[in-house]
Amino acid sequence: MKSSLLYCFCFFISLNAIAQKVTVKGSVTSQHVPVENITIKILGTNQLTKSDSSGSYQFSGIASGNCDLVFSGIGYQSKRIRITLKGDTTLVNADLLSLASDLNDVVITGVNRATQLRKSPVPIAILSKKTMDQNVNTNLIEAIVKGVPGITAVTTGPNVSKPFIRGLGYNRVLTLYDGLRQEGQQWGDEHGIEVDEYGITRAEVVKGPASLTYGSDALAGVINMIPYTPNFEDGKLKGDFTANYQSNNGMIGSSLGLAYIKKDWKYTFRATGKTAHNYENKIDGLVYGTAFREYNLSASARVDKAWGFSKTAITYYNNLMEIPDGSRDSLLRRFTRQVLDDGDDIKNRPIVTESELNTYSINPLHQHIQHYRFYNTSQFKFGTSDLNLLIGGQQSVRREYNHPTLPDQAGLYVVLNTFNYDLKYNLPDFAGIESTIGLNGMYQGNRSKAATDFPIPDYDLFDIGAFYFAKKSMGKVDVSGGIRIDRRNINWGDFYVGTNAQTGFGEQVSANNPTGKLQFPSFNKNYYGLSGSLGLTYNISEKLLIKANIARGYRAPNITEIGSNGLDPGAHIVYLGNRAFKPEFNLQEDIGIIAYLKDAEISVELFNNNIQNYIYQSRLTDANGNPVVIVPGNLTYQYQQSKARLYGAEISINLHPANLKWLSFNNSLAYVVGLNQNQELLDKHGRDAKYLPFIPPLQLRTEIKATAQKPVGIFDKPYIKIDAAFFADQDKFYALDNTETFTSGYTLINGGIGSTLKTKKGKTLFDIFLQADNIFNIAYQSNLNRLKYFEYYNRSPNGRSGIYNMGRNLSFKVIIPI
């Protein structure tokens, strides 16, 4: 009997214990918007979890009683809530306050995991969609150039911009789309980045070597273009429609974006179209060969679960873009056009008619660029660690039509296929150290199709690299760094080119073809790189900090630098490579001081960059100093390699008086000097060989902006702004063999007004932006404008040489929410 009573007593005690277990759940928001990745911890225990993409979190099996929940996350003030656990479920919601300073923004580019900007010693800049919308942009890279000091671009008309960071560009700047490296034959001058500018909600720019995380091609830095991810109520369909008109080249752009959330799933879709006729300036009039037509499609699906998330996306880019060559009538400087292949006489080409200059139709001599992208990015959580996997496939199809007598025959026709892989494992924290190990790279194959010109061979490339990255916070000091090793193999077989008997044009042939010539002898080489970085941030206070970083970068030579031997018709250049080139290595030191004061934000960044085996283009001349002409009407460039040094500074002073909240006064300065340290050339040619090509001059940008702090009728926070961009003379240029020439300085004045329009009930009708670039229609040539050198005559009747940049451009943009 006693044993039975004891058994019953224990049974009821156990039932009571089970009944006292409680589920705690809720949502985390900031200004009533769900917040992801907030850590929720039960104080005094080792139990913690994180909020998901909808802001939700949950604990199960918590003992009843009193306890404290602590909510914390990067960019938000921590919050502690005292609760009493009883019953089956306790609901605890938390609304967190955002930290105002931009230093608390979270970045994902160039770091091992999401990191507060203030904790990264590497110089990183963030550009929001709001900032991009408030400028006149003809493409996405131009928007980034205007918004981030130290970023410039080599341009070929309004639709082609190749990003440069602190004087370094092409394959030295790695561009990413949603974390996936962009592979679209970016070594070429004459086509841009295959990304829909209207679909990008944020850009993150790493200024300095990022080879540690990404391997080759991040020697100068990284630009990560991040598309929109929906974050609103379940079961809702939302979106936007953008309409944009620009007066100078009549550009018409429109974009429709939609997003839908259903429980754990998020879907997005966007379709964009842009078209423009030739652009205009007061020196050249309408510039023949600069019209374009572009289409973009994209879609994605993402699922968020307790185990992590998985996102699959697809994009399609299609661009028809004319090929300018700059040929003119020698007396009146009116543009002429090529109508013959054999027997083409530049001096007797017909003059382009007014109707041909104003049309939106694409002329027969044009490029057709297509880019397909399919990728998946996933995260798998394992308690306090997580595994991140990114895999993607891309295809770039590039055709250049340069035969007026046979317009359907492509001069260049190449297909580049790339498979990317990126695996990162964020290890559990150990002794306060956050660390990551990773493995990434790509396999790539390039094939020529039915073409007549073959500037590069068909090649295969395999790239693999492994790295270790760690960071630790010690009071006011944050330290981070790591090491990486890379291997890249590039190979191709013998490539023969012959003559087509019917057309007289070139064609790829077999080795036993009687007309065949071995244009590209076989090649197989491995390139190895060792890179790394070490940096620290000293937080003197919440508002003042110092950053310092030293990094070694690595870049294997690209295909044009080692394999070129032929005409690129779109660039109007014959490129000659060097198979003996070594990889580039650089060592860059950065130091920066950043202050977020009551009435101002001030940053000063200094850098010094020494490069071994720097590769650059130089015009080829004969023994008498005359330009070598291999293909009539086209320049000939040969790649060179030497030591180089770049150094400079970026300074930003942004004033926002606390007593005048409606006023902001933003100012920036960027300066870089590029020195060619090829001692043999310096001894022989002196100053002509002293500097590197494509170095931007001193730049100053200043903007004053007034924003209403209260609604004005239906206008919600309308603004008006005016800004000036000052570019100094560029007298530090690579003058050897007239590769570059002196460029005069200029000042451009721009302005804009805009507002959100709302109903009396607070519903947003649309956002409107009225803007003007180059208000005073200044005639200028940027030293980074390739069209500056599109000239057929030694002298011209008006004393002007080459093609000038765009003149005054008025822009009207409307964004309508759906």
Side-chain angles (χ1 to χ4, degrees), residues 32-47:
H32 308 293
V33 175
V35 181
E36 182 181 9
N37 211 34
I38 295 298
T39 299
I40 304 98
K41 183 175 183 180
I42 300 176
L43 203 62
T45 73
N46 59 359
Q47 297 185 74

Side-chain angles (χ1 to χ4, degrees), residues 165-190:
I165 297 177
R166 293 174 169 177
L168 296 174
Y170 296 103
N171 279 71
R172 299 180 185 92
V173 174
L174 183 62
T175 53
L176 309 175
Y177 177 85
D178 201 13
L180 178 72
R181 62 183 292 152
Q182 173 80 13
E183 291 295 324
Q185 301 153 1
Q186 59 270 29
W187 35 263
D189 285 296
E190 69 287 357

